[in-house]
Each structure stands twice: as structure tokens, then as C-alpha cells.
């Protein structure tokens, strides 16, 4: 298998891991622990479901790991096509990973306080969960920013379907707008959710393409030197033209 294809497949696996970890941690576990209007219920959930709370922290850490590694591998994949855009993918992806890292630390602190109360434990735990949720909210900016150069790389490289590139760029812009709407117009959550739908479709398309196809055949002609297969060692007497 050509090295560039292996890089694409590895990138797809990491991106899939990021998607699964995010879905399980943020969309499945968090709502079962955090009661937005009832601090006492949030505290009780953490105490009664310690294993689930620890799993929530672990999934956020897994998001950090997979996002950081995916950012690096996207840079490795696309740098021959557009070095600047590939670097932007890596930079924005790593920043978003740091944002989620802070969120994970806040969730771990909330669990520690729930199990060993200090002061008004319910209020403190609720505050930590609210801060964690807002980190996810503002982190959407960097997630949108990482999708835009990703789509740009798809378009400029022509290694993947062009509609995918346009969908990723549009989805990234949608993420940016959604983050602002979430704070400027809290009552328009349905609009904010609709704006990230193109990004979701584009992400799953990107993951599927990376895992099944990798890149188009002509991309192999642009493989960076360190991803090209090593030349076979020359045996004695083989160059006797």
C-alpha cells in the first residue's frame, strides 16, 4: 500500500475515533449527569454514577488525544497539496484539543468535589459543568476553523470529490456562525443546530472517503519525499550497464 494511502487511512481512523469519543462523551454521558436547572440533581448524579462520570472524563481525554493526532496526520496528508492550509488544520485542531483538555479538567474537578464536598458542593459542581459546556461552545469556533482549511485542501489538491471540499468549507462557516448565534441569540438554538448540519455530513463523508478510498490515484504523484517508498537496495554488480 502506498505511504500516502496509509497516511489517509490512519487519518480516517483517528477522525473516526474523535467522532465516536465526542458522541459518547458529550452527547450521551453529559446529559445523563448534568441537570441544567437543578444543581442538587447534578451533584446527586455524580455521586450515584461515579463510574459514568469517570467515563465522561475519559472520553473527553480521548477526544483530546484523537483530535491532536488527527490534526497532525491531516497536516502530513495535505502538506504537499497546500502547506499553508495543512498547517492551519493542524494549528486549529490542536487549539481545539487544548480547549477540550481544560473541559476535561473541569469535569474531573467537579467529580472530586462531589465525592469530597467543600463548601456549597452543588453550586460548585454546577458552575464547573457550566464552564465546561461553555468551553465546548466557544471551542466550536476552532472546530469550524479547522474544517475550512480542510475543505480548502480538498479543493486545491483535487485528491477527493470537490463537493466534499465545498461542504467542509460551508460546514466550517456554519460552525462559526452557530457559535456566535448560541451566545447572541440563545432562543434561536434550532437555527444554530441547523447551521452545523452541513459540517456533520461533510465530516462523515470525509471519514468514509479516507477509510475506503484514501486519495485519488493522481495524488500519489505528489507524495512528499518522506512518504515515498524507499528505493530497493542496490546489489553488487547490479549497475553494470
Amino acid at each position: 500500500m502506498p505511504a500516502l494511502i496509509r497516511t489517509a487511512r490512519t487519518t480516517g481512523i483517528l477522525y473516526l475515533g474523535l467522532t465516536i469519543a465526542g458522541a459518547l462523551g458529550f452527547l450521551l454521558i453529559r446529559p445523563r449527569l448534568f441537570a441544567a436547572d437543578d444543581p442538587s440533581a447534578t451533584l446527586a448524579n455524580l455521586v450515584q454514577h461515579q463510574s459514568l462520570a469517570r467515563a465522561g472524563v475519559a472520553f473527553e481525554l480521548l477526544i483530546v488525544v484523537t483530535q491532536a493526532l488527527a490534526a497532525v496526520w491531516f497536516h502530513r496528508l495535505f502538506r504537499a497539496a497546500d502547506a499553508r492550509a495543512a498547517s492551519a488544520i493542524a494549528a486549529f485542531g490542536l487549539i481545539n484539543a487544548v480547549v477540550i483538555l481544560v473541559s476535561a479538567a473541569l469535569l474531573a474537578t467537579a467529580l472530586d468535589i462531589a465525592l469530597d464536598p467543600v463548601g456549597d458542593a452543588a453550586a460548585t459542581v454546577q458552575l464547573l459543568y457550566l464552564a465546561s459546556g461553555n468551553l465546548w461552545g466557544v471551542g466550536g469556533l476552532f472546530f469550524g476553523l479547522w474544517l475550512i482549511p480542510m475543505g480548502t485542501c480538498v479543493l486545491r489538491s483535487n485528491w477527493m470529490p470537490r463537493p466534499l471540499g465545498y461542504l467542509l468549507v460551508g460546514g466550517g462557516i456554519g460552525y462559526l456562525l452557530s457559535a456566535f448565534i448560541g451566545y447572541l441569540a440563545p432562543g434561536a438554538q434550532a437555527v444554530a443546530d441547523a447551521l452545523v448540519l452541513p459540517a456533520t455530513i461533510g465530516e462523515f463523508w470525509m471519514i468514509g472517503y479516507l477509510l475506503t478510498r484514501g486519495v485519488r490515484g493522481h495524488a500519489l504523484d505528489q507524495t512528499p519525499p518522506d512518504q515515498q517508498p524507499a528505493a530497493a537496495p542496490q546489489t553488487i554488480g547490479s549497475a553494470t550497464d
Side-chain angles (χ1 to χ4, degrees), residues 17 26 30 36 44 58 71 87-88 92 98 134 140 168:
F26 189 78
R30 180 184 291 257
S87 296
F92 293 133
V98 172
N134 278 300
L168 289 170

Side-chain angles (χ1 to χ4, degrees), residues 129-220:
Y129 260 83
L130 286 170
S132 169
N134 278 300
L135 280 168
W136 275 83
V138 299
L141 289 173
F142 291 104
F143 198 76
L145 287 172
W146 109 308
L147 290 176
I148 293 172
M150 188 186 301
T152 300
C153 284
V154 170
L155 293 171
R156 292 184 178 174
S157 67
N158 198 31
W159 293 357
M160 299 171 181
R162 292 187 67 81
L164 172 58
Y166 290 119
L167 193 59
L168 289 170
V169 172
I173 294 171
Y175 249 104
L176 295 176
L177 294 175
S178 176
F180 281 101
I181 289 174
Y183 291 103
L184 294 174
Q189 189 58 44
V191 176
D193 292 341
L195 284 170
V196 303
L197 184 59
T200 302
I201 297 172
E203 286 183 278
F204 279 108
W205 188 357
M206 171 62 87
I207 292 169
Y209 199 90
L210 288 171
L211 292 176
T212 59
R213 180 77 182 271
V215 292
R216 287 173 172 164
H218 69 268
L220 303 180

